[in-house]
Amino acid sequence: MSMSIEDCQVARDGFPRPFPDTPANVLDQFRLTGRVAAVTGAAEGIGGAVADAYAEAGADVALLYNTNPAAIERAEALTKQHGIRAAAYKVDVSDAEAVRETIAKVAKDFGKIDIFVANAGMAISKPILDTSLDEYRKQLSVNVDGVVFCAKYVGEIFKAQGSGNLIITSSISAHIVNVPVDQPVYNGTKAFVTHFGKSLAREWREFARVNVVSPGFFDTKMGAGPDVLSEAYRLSVLGRQGHVKEIKGLFLYLASDASTYTTGSDMLVDGGYVLT
């Protein structure tokens, strides 16, 4: 039922809430010194770049990976290069109990978790009529279940701490139907996690912020395949794929005090791809 103008003018207890006690200097806002960040899919690609960005900004970083042990070397390199603490943890995000145990171990090892990036994902780019049910379930288990499991268990930690910051890596595929390759299952998984993230932003409003990043085609293993690369160039306003260094700043912004008034947002980084 709509409220009248008079009803809307009635003061509500507890409002307005105070501004956060954060630095006024913009460069200081971006520093993550003293924070603990955890990133899934952190061995390479966008997840690896995000782990780098957080270490460069002074955070301690937990790099979560499943099949790529390069995360171990990456963690060691970040420790040496930036004088922070970094460690790698092997976990299959589609296994709820493994996720619960790993997140609890990260929180115990580091003392807390301030930032969690649910970045792990996979794609099987096939039309639904060519997709087996096992392939369908595999994509859901990683792209949907993996995000839900991570959110559930790190959310419990955020609530207990009274603070936290969840960032979900989605895709422009949550916004468009990719061409010329049909991939309805992948697109659907990304639409789910985008709306899921927005919903959590409201649910967790008392103790955590939640935002979504929707990348376009980046020059990674998850980027445009050889069959669609030329079309990806044509449809991108900038005429190319992105380099992972071009997305680090956005993930840093969302993790930092520069974004304390940003929650429930879905931010596209796609070289203008969805404009066409």
Side-chain angles (χ1 to χ4, degrees), residues 5-6 47 100 110 121 142 144 179 189 217 219 225 230 235 242 246 258 268:
I5 293 176
E6 290 75 17
R100 186 192 67 78
F110 286 84
V142 176
V144 173
V179 295
T189 65
F217 288 108
D219 188 16
S230 294
L235 290 175
E246 296 177 290
L268 280 74

Side-chain angles (χ1 to χ4, degrees), residues 8-103:
C8 292
Q9 291 174 339
V10 176
R12 298 176 62 193
D13 291 340
F15 292 90
R17 292 173 177 168
F19 297 124
D21 183 17
T22 54
N25 181 282
V26 70
L27 294 181
D28 289 338
Q29 290 176 4
F30 279 94
R31 294 191 175 95
L32 298 181
T33 305
R35 311 277 177 90
V36 174
V39 183
T40 67
E44 59 183 353
I46 289 175
V50 172
D52 291 351
Y54 292 166
E56 290 161 4
D60 294 331
V61 186
L63 293 82
L64 279 58
Y65 73 100
N66 183 20
T67 60
N68 190 347
I72 299 171
E73 295 180 1
R74 192 176 210 114
E76 294 172 350
L78 291 177
T79 298
K80 293 177 181 177
Q81 292 170 9
H82 305 292
I84 53 88
R85 182 181 177 190
Y89 297 79
K90 180 175 172 58
V91 60
D92 177 357
V93 296
S94 68
D95 182 334
E97 183 60 20
V99 170
R100 186 192 67 78
E101 292 177 354
T102 301
I103 289 177

Side-chain angles (χ1 to χ4, degrees), residues 124-133 135-136 139 182 184-185:
I124 300 174
S125 297
K126 290 183 178 181
I128 188 62
L129 298 182
D130 296 333
T131 301
S132 71
L133 292 182
E135 290 172 329
Y136 158 76
Q139 289 181 87
D182 293 310
V185 174

Side-chain angles (χ1 to χ4, degrees), residues 66 92 100 112 168 191 211 213 226 231:
N66 183 20
D92 177 357
R100 186 192 67 78
K112 60 177 180 174
I168 296 172
N211 289 287
V213 177
E231 187 70 351

